Amino acid sequence: MADALYPQLPSVDRLLQDAAVTPLVSQYGQRLTADAARALLSDARAHIAAHNALPGWTNDWPAALQQTLAERSASKLKTVFNLTGVVLHTNLGRAQLADDAIEAVARVMREPVTLEYDLNEAQRGHRDDTIADLLREITGAEACCIVNNNAAAVLLMFAALADGKEAIASRGELIEIGGAFRIPDVMRQAGCTLVEVGTTNRTHLADYRNAITERTALLVKVHTSNYRIEGFTSAVSEAELATLGRETGVPVVSDLGSGALIDMSACGLPFETMPQQILADGVDLVSFSGDKLLGGPQAGIIVGRANAIARVQKHPLKRALRCDKMTLAALEATLRLYLRYSQPHDQLPLRLPTLRYLTRPHSDIAQTAERLLPECRKVYGDSFHIDSVACLSQIGSGALPMNTLPSQALTFTARDGRGRTMEALASHWHAQPKPILGRIADNRLWLDLRCLDDESELLAALRAASEASWAGDGTK
Ligand SMILES: *Cc1c(COP(=O)(O)O)cnc(C)c1O
């Protein structure tokens, strides 16, 4: 019987000449369309072998081809609904850029720009000069160096200032952050020898002082952003370390991690150390990320004294780690927002998405939940108990996990009480054209609404998802 079915399948050539398929060939090209046709034919043959029947979609080959081509041509970098409750989610690309930054990037991509071209001097300019004045204004730094990310910034500071020498750091600050970034390993890669001082919970200024020898090139302070040691503790401040550095002639650097450019506590958020404070304390160099609390593109920003920055800029690694024009344009536009709108503080969140999400009031998020709740119950109520529940969002990107923000979520619990049904719903939402990402905890699937921009878009996506059949849906 199957033998009678195979001859009913069209050939690739015949398919490509079908009048309904020629528009697909113009849109996707001969090669991709032929590949998709071959893949569909092989699916159809497998179906016949297994079921002794033609698959239903062979009734409409052009439609099946269209769908296959659309799926295969969609970018692997999908935009998603981030309802995970983590605002700066490293795996979701951290900060969403401000419109100004997006426009700036598009502009410099399209045309030649004065990236390293000094129009006044008719000689080679320096790419980091694009934002040097802005960083000087905002942080009080004498100079800056911009690299690919903060991990690169830390590596470069160590390499430029302490290669072949010793760098002193506290045992309480030898951090690991995500992606195998560990301070001792980074120092080794930079060619410097780590001299550990103090203990896990207590380090004193005398510990640093006693460790200084003629081989010492650097005193290092690392912001322990993602954990906290509580109880009988003591750490040396940047100001104390800077004083010791001046007395002994040893440069002091600080890896600040997130580094907020404005006082977060004035926005009702947990306080985060600002690079301008660390510089005012007398530290020579401080580094921080562009795409954490700053809310800009991925970048590592080093600011500080002109002589130390000059050594960093001259190091060969700088050439390997430098930023391109897109990053610099986005960073410039983002920093301009800080200059223009950071006073009063309530203006900046209107322009900077990261700050908007972080400062979004709980009452506002709860109202969104109230509006969405009845609609979600209409669509998913048969299979799930759905509630609006208070929850806690996280800042993310190495900010303290304990520093949470009061938020509101829609929660989904399977009526059949099975965890697997809930997991099936989560996977089904992951498989949507714009995946809907929540988190599973306490036998519920949580959609934290803090970072939701467009309620009707989410609702449309939830409805579309409910119409497609899925593993946990017994009704379809
Ligand atoms: C996040 C972080 C880094 C790494 O920064 P990236 O921009 O992710 O490379 C380094 N140090 C600290 C303390 C951090 O918090």
Side-chain angles (χ1 to χ4, degrees), residues 90 94 148-152 154 175 177 181 183 222-226 255-258 287-292 298-300 397-399:
T90 298
R94 292 192 184 159
N148 191 41
N149 52 31
N150 189 40
V154 174
I175 60 160
I177 59 161
F181 176 93
I183 291 292
V222 184
H223 194 57
T224 55
S225 42
N226 54 3
D255 168 15
L256 201 48
S258 217
S287 79
F288 52 101
S289 295
D291 55 353
K292 291 185 179 175
Q298 177 184 306
S397 275

Side-chain angles (χ1 to χ4, degrees), residues 67-258:
Q67 193 186 338
T68 303
L69 281 163
E71 280 166 12
R72 289 178 161 209
S73 309
S75 171
K76 298 282 182 231
L77 275 178
K78 291 185 182 168
T79 58
V80 301
F81 292 98
N82 174 14
L83 308 181
T84 60
V86 180
V87 177
L88 290 166
H89 200 305
T90 298
N91 301 351
L92 300 179
R94 292 192 184 159
Q96 288 166 243
L97 294 195
D99 286 341
D100 285 34
I102 295 165
E103 282 155 26
V105 173
R107 192 175 56 83
V108 301
M109 285 169 76
R110 255 185 228 114
E111 294 186 73
V113 289
T114 55
L115 180 63
E116 291 188 342
Y117 195 95
D118 188 334
L119 293 171
N120 298 324
E121 308 291 329
Q123 62 183 18
R124 186 167 173 167
H126 193 291
R127 61 178 62 212
D128 294 347
D129 285 347
T130 315
I131 49 180
D133 286 341
L134 288 163
L135 281 171
R136 245 177 247 135
E137 188 87 19
I138 295 169
T139 68
E142 291 173 7
C144 72
C145 174
I146 313 298
V147 287
N148 191 41
N149 52 31
N150 189 40
V154 174
L155 174 70
L156 182 57
M157 290 197 297
F158 291 162
L161 301 183
D163 185 8
K165 302 247 181 62
E166 290 178 358
I168 303 176
S170 162
R171 289 195 169 91
E173 298 173 4
L174 299 178
I175 60 160
E176 170 178 315
I177 59 161
F181 176 93
R182 294 170 149 196
I183 291 292
D185 298 341
V186 177
M187 284 200 184
R188 202 171 309 119
Q189 290 297 327
C192 58
T193 305
L194 167 63
V195 176
E196 299 177 25
V197 296
T199 60
T200 305
N201 58 328
R202 288 172 70 84
T203 301
H204 309 286
L205 190 59
D207 295 326
Y208 290 92
R209 189 190 298 280
N210 294 338
I212 294 177
T213 69
E214 69 279 4
R215 292 182 303 278
T216 308
L218 207 54
L219 299 174
V220 177
K221 181 83 187 159
V222 184
H223 194 57
T224 55
S225 42
N226 54 3
Y227 75 99
R228 182 183 285 155
I229 298 176
E230 284 179 12
F232 187 55
T233 64
S234 157
V236 177
S237 71
E238 274 87 352
E240 292 171 285
L241 217 49
T243 306
L244 177 62
R246 263 196 309 280
E247 280 170 23
T248 54
V250 180
V252 181
V253 303
S254 169
D255 168 15
L256 201 48
S258 217

Side-chain angles (χ1 to χ4, degrees), residues 28 64 96 149 319 345 363 381 397 420 459:
Y28 294 101
Q96 288 166 243
N149 52 31
R319 177 62 177 75
H345 283 327
S363 57
S397 275
R420 209 179 294 154
L459 206 51

